[in-house]
């Protein structure tokens, strides 16, 4: 993989924005601090004044600064870094590129105590902030980079520009890269960092995904021996920081949690040697419990993780007993908190928006809320490159989620790239379908005169309302699990080589006539209504849906 010449950039372009946040220089304060038996120590400052109560961790141990802003950790230095949980109302004083830059890479082994200071600055207005949430970006070659620049960059740069003066951050949900192509294409984390730095002025927090692990290591054997998949994360930790960490923006506590257990068998020439489970190691669970001990029970918490907790029907998969894999185990540390939201990606669909009851080990029940955020890249950029329509295998468009906070109150929505804010669903006139019969039938393919209306509401969540009217007559609406017609059409025409996946967010209504106008209204839990006046017959072509 290519690397960046940081020194050359600094010499030639003093004010350039770079990406390797682990290379950010830090300045030790002039005063002396007694290490007092610590292997990592330092001070957290803001404008020359010490900050007390700032949480600091090495990924295993967690502590807080004293009244002089000093912290000490008797660390084994296993993870090779130290990081802070940014306190609300502050951000890092300096950064390289779009990295949140809240960590420092260590230089010495445990035998040499290291001083690492952190300098912050105040940021006003964080109580009202917006988080841009992006799942599965998957940059892995020049074509994906070009699609990213054409699809993502213009919109996010406009978004940040339009919100100038407001507090806006970015959050990825894993699979920013694609491990196989680190070696096959010489394209990996450094190249990803270069591309996202083109989003001007957006500080980004990252979450590790299964494809952000180094597949050259035999992580299956390591896990069986130690209960960890630690070695294959070294490259990520060095370049993108900790895999489990927290930060505060305004009144909200964010946690990035690594719920990926890779089971690669080593080697970089065989795609079949790689794989993963959903689970959290006991080391990371202990870090999580320590981190939450500093968080009050009424603080809103947003947890970003890569692999979903839930499928459409329940828990996501089954795994070895040695992994904290059940939803009850992973979510147990949160159950005493009043407001917890889990955000996931991984599936390249949007089927797991749930308020799901979970039974704890003690036998009591609590409700876990998870929203899946789809994929920025849609179907790995394939449909975007081949057709100009960036959609996932379930028909959900490539896009991003926006969380907007007003104190401790949140509103949220999903925005499809290249589409207006009002684009929240896609409708189909069953009478106009001309797909051939094939193995993915579900009984809806081929033209039909049954006057059925199909609606894919990709971000549908409990509490949403759907109204379908033919003239003044309200039509009954039923929910069904099925394939998305547009993705099926693209698949049959060779515009994607990935098999379709069923969506649980397909809704159906029956009109009385083939040429009547249908009014569709979808209202989310925040009271926003999205409307389409559907003139029928409605053309069923890729060109038609590209222009919507």
């Amino acid at each position: 993989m290519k690397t960046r010449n940081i020194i050359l950039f600094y010499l030639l372009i003093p004010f350039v924005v770079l990406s390797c946040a682990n290379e950010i220089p830090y300045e030790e304060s002039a005063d002396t601090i007694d290490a007092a038996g610590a292997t990592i120590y330092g001070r957290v400052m803001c404008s020359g004044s010490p900050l007390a109560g700032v949480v600091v961790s090495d990924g295993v141990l967690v502590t807080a600064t004293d009244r002089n802003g000093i912290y000490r950790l008797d660390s084994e230095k296993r993870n090779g870094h130290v990081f802070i949980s940014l306190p609300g109302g502050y951000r890092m004083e300096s950064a390289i590129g779009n990295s949140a830059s809240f960590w420092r890479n260590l230089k010495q082994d445990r035998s040499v105590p290291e001083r690492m200071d952190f300098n912050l600055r105040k940021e006003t207005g964080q109580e009202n902030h917006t988080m841009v949430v992006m799942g599965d970006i998957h940059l892995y070659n020049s074509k994906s980079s070009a699609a990213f620049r054409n699809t993502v960059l213009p919109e996010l740069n406009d978004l940040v520009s339009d919100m100038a003066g407001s507090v806006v951050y970015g959050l990825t949900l894993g699979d920013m890269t694609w491990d196989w192509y680190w070696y096959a294409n010489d394209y990996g984390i450094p190249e990803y960092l270069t591309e996202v730095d083109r989003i001007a002025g957006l500080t980004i927090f990252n979450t590790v995904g299964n494809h952000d692990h180094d597949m050259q290591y035999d992580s299956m054997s390591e896990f069986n021996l130690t209960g960890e998949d630690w070695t294959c994360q070294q490259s990520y930790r060095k370049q993108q920081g900790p895999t489990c960490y927290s930060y505060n923006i305004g009144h909200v506590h964010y946690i990035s949690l690594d719920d990926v257990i890779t089971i690669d068998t080593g080697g970089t020439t065989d795609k079949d040697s790689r794989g993963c489970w959903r689970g959290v190691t006991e080391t990371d669970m202990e870090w999580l419990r320590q981190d939450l001990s500093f968080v009050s029970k009424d603080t809103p918490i947003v947890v970003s993780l890569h692999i979903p907790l839930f499928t459409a029907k329940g828990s996501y998969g089954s795994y070895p007993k040695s992994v904290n894999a059940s939803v009850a185990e992973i979510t147990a540390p949160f159950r005493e908190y009043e407001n917890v939201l889990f955000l996931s990606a991984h599936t390249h669909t949007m089927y797991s928006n749930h308020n799901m009851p979970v039974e704890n080990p003690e036998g009591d029940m609590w409700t876990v809320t998870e929203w899946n955020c789809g994929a920025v890249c849609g179907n790995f950029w394939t449909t975007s490159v081949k057709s100009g329509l960036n959609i996932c295998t379930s028909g959900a468009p490539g896009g991003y989620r926006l969380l907007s906070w007003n104190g401790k109150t949140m509103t949220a929505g999903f925005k499809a790239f290249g589409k207006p804010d009002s684009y929240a669903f896609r409708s189909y006139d069953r009478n106009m379908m001309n797909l051939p019969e094939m193995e993915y039938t579900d009984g809806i393919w081929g033209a039909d005169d049954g006057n059925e209306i199909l609606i894919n509401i990709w971000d549908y969540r409990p509490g949403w309302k759907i109204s379908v009217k033919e003239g003044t007559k309200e039509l009954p609406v039923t929910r069904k699990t099925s394939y998305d017609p547009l993705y099926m059409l693209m698949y049959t025409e060779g515009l994607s080589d990935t098999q379709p996946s069923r969506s649980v967010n397909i809704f159906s209504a029956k009109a009385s006539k083939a040429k009547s106008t249908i009014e569709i209204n979808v209202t989310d839990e925040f009271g926003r209504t999205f409307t389409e006046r559907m003139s029928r017959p409605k053309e069923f072509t890729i060109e038609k849906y590209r222009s919507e």
Side-chain angles (χ1 to χ4, degrees):
M1 286 175 283
K2 296 179 278 295
T3 58
R4 295 182 226 182
N5 190 327
I6 300 296
I7 296 176
L8 180 60
F9 268 98
Y10 267 108
L11 289 175
L12 297 181
I13 314 175
F15 301 105
V16 74
V17 176
L18 303 178
S19 294
C20 295
N22 52 289
E23 299 297 337
I24 293 176
Y26 68 95
E27 295 182 3
E28 294 186 359
S29 301
D31 58 305
T32 301
I33 300 175
D34 183 5
T39 59
I40 312 172
Y41 66 102
R43 174 172 272 143
V44 181
M45 306 280 286
C46 176
S47 302
S49 299
L51 288 177
V54 178
V55 176
V56 186
S57 178
D58 65 348
V60 178
L61 304 174
V62 182
T63 189
T65 58
D66 64 18
R67 62 189 180 88
N68 296 310
I70 296 172
Y71 74 91
R72 297 179 179 86
L73 290 168
D74 186 16
S75 171
E76 295 292 333
K77 297 186 177 181
R78 181 171 182 262
N79 289 320
H81 53 226
V82 61
F83 56 93
I84 65 171
S85 181
L86 278 166
Y90 295 86
R91 66 185 302 152
M92 298 304 297
E93 186 175 69
S94 60
I96 296 179
N98 286 355
S99 170
S101 314
F102 54 89
W103 79 94
R104 300 284 183 263
N105 279 348
L106 304 173
K107 309 296 183 182
Q108 308 292 335
D109 62 26
R110 175 175 165 76
S111 65
V112 181
E114 293 182 75
R115 176 172 175 173
M116 294 289 176
D117 291 347
F118 293 88
N119 295 299
L120 312 183
R121 64 178 174 86
K122 290 184 178 181
E123 182 175 54
T124 59
Q126 280 193 3
E127 294 80 4
N128 300 324
H129 71 272
T130 298
M131 183 65 80
V132 182
V133 184
M134 298 171 281
D136 290 77
I137 299 175
H138 276 295
L139 297 181
Y140 59 95
N141 61 11
S142 58
K143 287 185 178 180
S144 64
S145 288
F148 178 83
R149 294 179 196 180
N150 293 333
T151 304
V152 176
L153 283 178
E155 181 156 328
L156 292 189
N157 277 323
D158 286 347
L159 173 70
V160 176
S161 177
D162 291 344
M163 299 186 70
S166 302
V167 177
V168 186
Y169 285 89
L171 169 61
T172 66
L173 297 178
D175 283 4
M176 290 75 73
T177 60
W178 199 340
D179 49 356
W180 165 256
Y181 294 103
W182 289 11
Y183 300 96
N185 290 346
D186 192 29
Y187 192 112
I189 292 174
E191 289 69 36
Y192 157 77
L193 292 171
T194 295
E195 290 301 328
V196 295
D197 281 356
R198 300 178 190 276
I199 308 173
L202 186 67
T203 297
I204 295 175
F205 296 89
N206 291 303
T207 306
V208 68
N210 56 298
H211 287 293
D212 303 315
H213 292 70
D214 194 336
M215 65 181 289
Q216 71 174 317
Y217 295 102
D218 185 358
S219 54
M220 170 69 93
S221 295
E222 181 180 27
F223 175 75
N224 288 335
L225 287 172
T226 68
E228 304 274 352
D229 62 343
W230 180 83
T231 305
C232 62
Q233 297 178 338
Q234 289 183 101
S235 181
Y236 182 94
R237 285 193 300 270
K238 184 175 181 180
Q239 298 178 84
Q240 290 186 265
T243 56
C244 288
Y245 63 95
S246 69
Y247 52 101
N248 301 275
I249 304 176
H251 298 304
V252 185
H253 186 67
Y254 291 87
I255 297 174
S256 180
L257 189 62
D258 174 14
D259 74 334
V260 176
I261 304 291
T262 55
I263 52 171
D264 298 346
T265 57
T268 61
T269 59
D270 181 11
K271 289 184 181 180
D272 296 330
S273 72
R274 44 172 307 284
C276 67
W277 292 322
R278 199 281 313 284
V280 180
T281 68
E282 185 51 41
T283 298
D284 290 341
M285 288 298 294
E286 176 55 30
W287 169 86
L288 174 62
R289 288 186 282 265
Q290 291 182 71
D291 178 77
L292 287 173
S293 71
F294 292 92
V295 181
S296 64
K297 297 298 189 292
D298 63 345
T299 299
I301 298 175
V302 176
V303 185
S304 62
L305 38 76
H306 182 62
I307 302 178
L309 298 174
F310 299 110
T311 66
K313 297 181 179 180
S315 182
Y316 192 99
S318 59
Y319 304 90
K321 293 182 179 179
S322 55
V323 180
N324 299 298
S326 72
V327 176
E329 289 173 312
I330 294 174
T331 62
F334 298 98
R335 67 178 180 265
E336 294 182 3
Y337 290 83
E338 298 175 7
N339 184 357
V340 183
L341 172 65
F342 292 86
L343 301 175
S344 63
H346 184 57
T347 63
H348 295 246
T349 63
M350 293 181 68
Y351 61 67
S352 58
N353 289 339
H354 288 300
N355 296 326
M356 187 74 78
V358 173
E359 183 175 358
N360 292 310
E362 294 81 2
D364 58 323
M365 304 291 291
W366 81 303
T367 299
V368 174
T369 300
E370 178 185 34
W371 295 349
N372 189 269
C373 298
V376 167
C377 72
N379 179 34
F380 301 98
W381 299 111
T382 303
T383 58
S384 178
V385 170
K386 291 186 175 181
S387 73
L389 266 173
N390 183 25
I391 67 174
C392 302
T393 56
S394 65
Y400 54 98
R401 191 177 294 285
L402 289 171
L403 306 183
S404 298
W405 289 90
N406 181 0
K408 293 185 178 182
T409 302
M410 181 194 69
T411 57
F414 183 84
K415 174 67 172 63
F417 285 111
K419 300 293 186 179
D421 293 343
S422 58
Y423 186 70
F425 60 86
R426 188 186 305 117
S427 68
Y428 301 99
D429 185 348
R430 167 82 185 278
N431 295 351
M432 297 298 291
M433 288 183 182
N434 53 6
L435 287 170
E437 288 293 325
M438 55 190 304
E439 60 179 306
Y440 306 99
T441 59
D442 278 352
I444 67 170
W445 309 117
D448 183 81
D449 60 0
N451 299 326
E452 185 180 20
I453 309 300
L454 296 173
I455 310 166
N456 188 341
I457 311 173
W458 40 80
D459 198 27
Y460 178 85
R461 295 191 292 274
W464 285 32
K465 298 176 182 178
I466 306 168
S467 170
V468 180
K469 288 184 177 181
E470 184 178 27
T472 59
K473 181 182 178 182
E474 189 82 32
L475 302 179
V477 177
T478 59
R479 189 176 185 180
K480 61 198 306 180
T481 298
S482 187
Y483 299 108
D484 177 76
L486 179 59
Y487 186 82
M488 281 297 308
L489 177 61
M490 300 175 76
Y491 182 67
T492 60
E493 294 194 2
L495 300 176
S496 175
D497 55 5
T498 303
Q499 294 178 347
S501 56
R502 286 185 175 90
S503 170
V504 298
N505 296 331
I506 304 289
F507 295 83
S508 172
K510 283 272 192 175
S512 63
K513 301 176 182 178
K515 295 184 179 182
S516 58
T517 297
I518 303 296
E519 184 170 319
I520 304 169
N521 289 282
V522 176
T523 304
D524 68 13
E525 71 269 51
F526 305 109
R528 294 171 302 197
T529 298
F530 308 94
T531 300
E532 178 187 350
R533 191 169 178 81
M534 182 184 183
S535 297
R536 300 165 57 245
K538 182 175 181 178
E539 182 182 343
F540 183 60
T541 64
I542 292 173
E543 291 73 19
K544 167 66 176 178
Y545 288 100
R546 186 190 295 119
S547 65
E548 282 191 343

